[in-house]
Coordinates of all heavy atoms in Angstrom, one line a residue:
D1 N 97.3 84.2 113.5 CA 98.7 83.9 114.0 C 98.7 84.1 115.5 O 97.9 84.8 116.1 CB 99.7 84.9 113.4 CG 101.1 84.4 113.4 OD1 101.6 84.0 114.5 OD2 101.8 84.4 112.3
F2 N 99.6 83.3 116.2 CA 99.6 83.4 117.6 C 100.9 84.1 118.1 O 101.1 84.3 119.3 CB 99.6 82.0 118.2 CG 100.8 81.1 117.9 CD1 101.9 81.1 118.7 CD2 100.9 80.5 116.7 CE1 103.0 80.3 118.4 CE2 102.0 79.7 116.3 CZ 103.1 79.7 117.2
D3 N 101.8 84.4 117.2 CA 103.2 84.9 117.5 C 103.2 86.4 117.7 O 102.3 87.1 117.3 CB 104.1 84.5 116.4 CG 105.5 84.4 116.8 OD1 105.8 84.5 118.0 OD2 106.4 84.2 115.9
R4 N 104.3 86.8 118.3 CA 104.6 88.3 118.5 C 105.7 88.7 117.5 O 106.5 87.8 117.1 CB 105.0 88.6 119.9 CG 103.9 88.4 121.0 CD 104.4 88.7 122.4 NE 103.5 88.4 123.4 CZ 102.6 89.3 123.9 NH1 102.7 90.5 123.5 NH2 101.8 88.9 124.9
V5 N 105.7 90.0 117.2 CA 106.8 90.5 116.3 C 108.1 90.5 117.1 O 108.2 90.9 118.3 CB 106.5 91.9 115.9 CG1 107.6 92.5 115.0 CG2 105.2 92.0 115.1
D6 N 109.2 89.9 116.5 CA 110.5 89.8 117.0 C 111.5 90.5 116.2 O 111.3 90.7 115.0 CB 110.8 88.3 117.2 CG 112.2 88.1 117.8 OD1 112.3 88.1 119.0 OD2 113.2 87.9 117.0
I7 N 112.6 90.9 116.7 CA 113.6 91.7 116.0 C 114.1 90.9 114.8 O 114.4 91.4 113.7 CB 114.8 92.1 116.9 CG1 115.8 93.0 116.1 CG2 115.6 90.8 117.4 CD1 116.8 93.6 117.0
T8 N 114.1 89.5 114.9 CA 114.6 88.7 113.8 C 113.6 88.6 112.6 O 113.9 88.1 111.5 CB 114.9 87.3 114.2 OG1 113.7 86.7 114.7 CG2 116.0 87.3 115.3
N9 N 112.4 89.1 112.8 CA 111.4 89.2 111.8 C 111.6 90.3 110.8 O 111.1 90.3 109.7 CB 110.0 89.3 112.4 CG 109.6 88.2 113.3 OD1 108.8 88.4 114.2 ND2 110.1 87.0 113.2
L10 N 112.3 91.3 111.2 CA 112.4 92.6 110.5 C 113.1 92.5 109.1 O 113.1 93.4 108.3 CB 113.0 93.7 111.3 CG 112.3 94.0 112.7 CD1 113.0 95.2 113.3 CD2 110.8 94.3 112.4
N11 N 113.9 91.3 108.9 CA 114.6 91.2 107.7 C 113.7 90.8 106.5 O 114.2 90.8 105.4 CB 115.7 90.2 107.8 CG 115.3 88.8 107.7 OD1 114.2 88.4 108.2 ND2 116.0 87.9 107.0
R12 N 112.4 90.5 106.8 CA 111.6 90.0 105.7 C 110.1 90.2 105.8 O 109.4 90.0 104.9 CB 111.9 88.5 105.4 CG 111.3 87.6 106.5 CD 111.9 86.2 106.5 NE 111.3 85.4 107.5 CZ 111.6 85.4 108.8 NH1 112.6 86.2 109.2 NH2 111.1 84.6 109.7
Q13 N 109.7 90.6 107.0 CA 108.3 90.8 107.3 C 107.8 92.2 107.3 O 108.7 93.1 107.6 CB 108.0 90.1 108.6 CG 108.3 88.6 108.6 CD 108.0 87.9 109.9 OE1 107.3 88.3 110.7 NE2 108.6 86.7 110.1
Q14 N 106.6 92.5 107.1 CA 106.1 93.8 107.0 C 105.8 94.5 108.4 O 104.7 94.9 108.7 CB 104.8 93.8 106.1 CG 105.1 93.6 104.7 CD 105.7 94.8 104.0 OE1 105.9 95.8 104.6 NE2 105.9 94.7 102.7
Y15 N 106.8 94.5 109.2 CA 106.7 95.1 110.5 C 107.9 96.1 110.7 O 108.9 96.1 110.0 CB 106.7 94.1 111.6 CG 105.6 93.1 111.4 CD1 105.9 91.8 111.0 CD2 104.3 93.4 111.7 CE1 104.9 90.8 110.9 CE2 103.3 92.5 111.5 CZ 103.6 91.2 111.1 OH 102.5 90.3 110.9
F16 N 107.8 96.9 111.8 CA 108.8 97.9 112.1 C 109.2 97.8 113.5 O 108.6 97.0 114.3 CB 108.2 99.3 111.8 CG 107.9 99.6 110.4 CD1 106.6 99.3 109.9 CD2 108.8 100.0 109.4 CE1 106.2 99.5 108.6 CE2 108.5 100.2 108.1 CZ 107.2 100.0 107.7
I17 N 110.3 98.5 113.9 CA 110.8 98.4 115.2 C 109.7 98.7 116.3 O 109.6 98.0 117.3 CB 112.0 99.3 115.4 CG1 113.2 98.8 114.6 CG2 112.4 99.5 116.9 CD1 114.4 99.7 114.6
R18 N 108.8 99.6 116.0 CA 107.8 100.0 116.9 C 106.8 98.8 117.2 O 106.1 98.9 118.2 CB 107.0 101.2 116.4 CG 106.1 100.9 115.2 CD 105.3 102.2 114.8 NE 104.4 102.0 113.7 CZ 104.7 102.1 112.4 NH1 105.9 102.5 112.1 NH2 103.8 101.9 111.5
H19 N 106.8 97.8 116.3 CA 105.9 96.7 116.5 C 106.5 95.6 117.4 O 105.7 94.6 117.7 CB 105.5 96.1 115.2 CG 104.7 97.1 114.3 ND1 105.1 97.4 113.0 CD2 103.6 97.8 114.6 CE1 104.2 98.2 112.5 NE2 103.3 98.5 113.4
I20 N 107.8 95.6 117.7 CA 108.4 94.5 118.4 C 107.7 94.3 119.7 O 107.4 95.2 120.5 CB 109.9 94.8 118.6 CG1 110.6 94.7 117.3 CG2 110.5 93.8 119.6 CD1 112.1 95.1 117.4
G21 N 107.3 93.1 120.0 CA 106.6 92.7 121.2 C 105.1 92.6 121.0 O 104.4 92.0 121.9
L22 N 104.5 93.3 120.0 CA 103.1 93.2 119.7 C 102.7 91.9 119.1 O 103.6 91.3 118.4 CB 102.7 94.3 118.8 CG 102.7 95.8 119.3 CD1 102.3 96.7 118.2 CD2 101.9 95.9 120.6
Y23 N 101.5 91.4 119.3 CA 101.1 90.2 118.6 C 101.0 90.6 117.1 O 100.6 91.8 116.7 CB 99.7 89.8 119.0 CG 99.7 89.0 120.3 CD1 99.2 89.6 121.5 CD2 100.3 87.7 120.4 CE1 99.3 88.8 122.7 CE2 100.4 87.0 121.6 CZ 99.9 87.6 122.7 OH 99.9 86.9 123.9
K24 N 101.4 89.7 116.2 CA 101.4 90.0 114.8 C 100.0 90.4 114.3 O 99.8 91.2 113.4 CB 101.9 88.8 114.0 CG 103.4 88.7 114.2 CD 104.0 87.5 113.4 CE 105.5 87.4 113.7 NZ 106.1 86.3 112.9
T25 N 98.9 89.7 114.8 CA 97.6 90.1 114.4 C 97.3 91.5 114.7 O 96.7 92.2 113.9 CB 96.6 89.2 115.2 OG1 96.9 89.2 116.6 CG2 96.6 87.8 114.6
E26 N 97.7 92.0 115.9 CA 97.4 93.4 116.2 C 98.2 94.4 115.4 O 97.7 95.4 114.9 CB 97.8 93.6 117.7 CG 97.6 95.0 118.2 CD 98.1 95.2 119.7 OE1 98.4 94.2 120.3 OE2 98.1 96.3 120.1
A27 N 99.5 94.1 115.2 CA 100.4 95.0 114.5 C 100.0 95.1 113.0 O 99.9 96.1 112.4 CB 101.9 94.5 114.6
L28 N 99.7 93.9 112.4 CA 99.3 93.9 111.0 C 98.0 94.6 110.7 O 97.8 95.3 109.8 CB 99.3 92.5 110.4 CG 99.2 92.3 108.9 CD1 100.4 93.1 108.2 CD2 99.2 90.9 108.5
K29 N 97.0 94.4 111.6 CA 95.8 95.0 111.5 C 95.9 96.5 111.5 O 95.3 97.3 110.7 CB 94.8 94.6 112.6 CG 93.4 95.1 112.5 CD 92.5 94.5 113.5 CE 91.0 94.8 113.3 NZ 90.7 96.2 113.7
Q30 N 96.8 97.0 112.4 CA 97.0 98.5 112.5 C 97.6 99.0 111.2 O 97.2 100.0 110.6 CB 98.0 98.8 113.6 CG 97.5 98.6 115.0 CD 98.5 98.8 116.1 OE1 99.7 99.2 115.8 NE2 98.2 98.6 117.3
E31 N 98.5 98.3 110.6 CA 99.2 98.7 109.4 C 98.2 98.7 108.2 O 98.1 99.6 107.4 CB 100.4 97.8 109.0 CG 101.5 98.0 110.0 CD 102.7 97.2 109.5 OE1 102.8 96.0 109.7 OE2 103.6 97.8 108.8
L32 N 97.4 97.6 108.1 CA 96.4 97.5 107.0 C 95.4 98.6 107.1 O 94.9 99.1 106.0 CB 95.8 96.2 107.0 CG 96.7 95.0 106.8 CD1 95.9 93.7 106.7 CD2 97.6 95.1 105.6
E33 N 95.0 99.0 108.3 CA 94.0 100.1 108.5 C 94.6 101.4 108.1 O 93.8 102.4 107.8 CB 93.5 100.1 109.9 CG 92.5 98.9 110.2 CD 92.1 98.8 111.6 OE1 92.7 99.4 112.5 OE2 91.1 98.1 111.8
E34 N 95.9 101.6 108.1 CA 96.5 102.8 107.6 C 96.5 102.9 106.0 O 96.5 103.9 105.5 CB 98.0 102.9 108.0 CG 98.1 103.1 109.5 CD 99.6 103.2 110.0 OE1 100.4 103.6 109.1 OE2 99.9 102.9 111.1

């Protein structure tokens, strides 16, 4: 993915407020490694 996490993503995507502004690849990799 090339996109960053945005506030409008939080209604349906597996991200949190702390991820806003991060690239989705980076944020999701962090979560999966948890």
Side-chain angles (χ1 to χ4, degrees):
D1 201 309
F2 66 95
D3 203 6
R4 294 179 185 265
V5 179
D6 181 83
I7 190 172
T8 61
N9 301 150
L10 302 184
N11 83 318
R12 68 195 184 283
Q13 302 180 16
Q14 289 286 0
Y15 303 107
F16 298 90
I17 289 174
R18 70 177 184 271
H19 296 127
I20 291 175
L22 293 179
Y23 283 111
K24 290 181 179 179
T25 47
E26 177 184 355
L28 190 57
K29 185 173 188 287
Q30 290 177 5
E31 292 187 278
L32 299 185
E33 288 176 340
E34 290 181 27

